[in-house]
Amino acid sequence: IEFQAKVYNLKEFNISEEEKFRSYELVGTFTDNYGNYGKSNVVIISDIKEGKLLRLDATSENIYSNNEKLYMRGIREKSDIDAGIAYNVIIGASKYFKPLIGVKCTTSVRYFDDAIFGIQKCKISQDMTAILKNSNN
C-alpha cells in the first residue's frame, strides 16, 4: 500500500524543555498493488524526548472504494521524528475483509512539512491475495 496524508496537529504538551507529548490526525488516500484505492484516517499519539521519538501509537481506519474497511493498530519506537519504521497489525475489518484480521505489516514513512508519504508491506497468504485482487470488481 502506498499512502499520502495531511497532518493535523490536535494537541502538543511541552512537558519539559526536553520532553513533549503530541496527538494528531492524518487524513489521506491510499492505493495498493491490486488496483484498490481509498481514504484513510489515522489518530496518533507520541512521546518525544530530546528531539527523538520515544514511542508512537497509531490506530487507523482505511475505507476502500467499495466501502469495505480495515482497522489497524501500529507502534513506532525510538526513531527520528520525521521518518521511521512502524509495525502494524490489522485489528478489525468489515465483512469481506475479516480474513485479513491478524495480518502484520511494516510501514515506512517520511514527513514533509504538514504532509506524510509512506509505504506499507504486509505478509499475506494466497487466499488473502485473492480477497484483495477481487475486492475492486
Side-chain angles (χ1 to χ4, degrees):
I1 297 172
E2 289 188 32
F3 60 91
Q4 306 80 35
K6 183 163 174 56
V7 178
Y8 296 94
N9 275 319
L10 301 176
K11 282 285 186 196
E12 181 173 284
F13 300 136
N14 293 313
I15 297 167
S16 69
E17 287 186 23
E18 298 87 27
E19 198 169 349
K20 292 181 183 186
F21 168 85
R22 286 186 186 157
S23 70
Y24 50 96
E25 181 180 18
L26 304 176
V27 178
T29 60
F30 65 88
T31 59
D32 70 17
N33 291 353
Y34 308 108
N36 298 306
Y37 59 94
K39 298 188 288 185
S40 63
N41 195 330
V42 186
V43 176
I44 297 174
I45 59 170
S46 63
D47 293 305
I48 300 159
K49 189 168 186 177
E50 297 175 355
K52 293 284 187 183
L53 180 71
L54 294 179
R55 183 176 171 95
L56 177 146
D57 292 297
T59 303
S60 66
E61 177 184 59
N62 292 338
I63 304 171
Y64 285 71
S65 62
N66 62 0
N67 287 317
E68 288 291 329
K69 296 178 182 178
L70 282 179
Y71 297 91
M72 301 186 82
R73 184 143 307 134
I75 297 172
R76 181 161 62 108
E77 296 180 304
K78 298 178 183 167
S79 66
D80 291 331
I81 294 171
D82 62 349
I85 304 292
Y87 301 96
N88 304 284
V89 64
I90 297 173
I91 59 168
S94 57
K95 185 178 179 183
Y96 189 71
F97 284 164
K98 283 211 183 288
L100 299 171
I101 293 174
V103 167
K104 295 179 181 174
C105 305
T106 302
T107 304
S108 174
V109 298
R110 305 237 1 119
Y111 288 86
F112 176 67
D113 293 333
D114 65 348
I116 185 173
F117 302 87
I119 189 163
Q120 188 171 67
K121 295 183 179 187
C122 306
K123 293 189 185 246
I124 59 175
S125 69
Q126 292 288 348
D127 291 342
M128 292 175 187
T129 300
I131 290 169
L132 289 168
K133 282 183 178 178
N134 294 323
S135 68
N136 60 5
N137 293 333

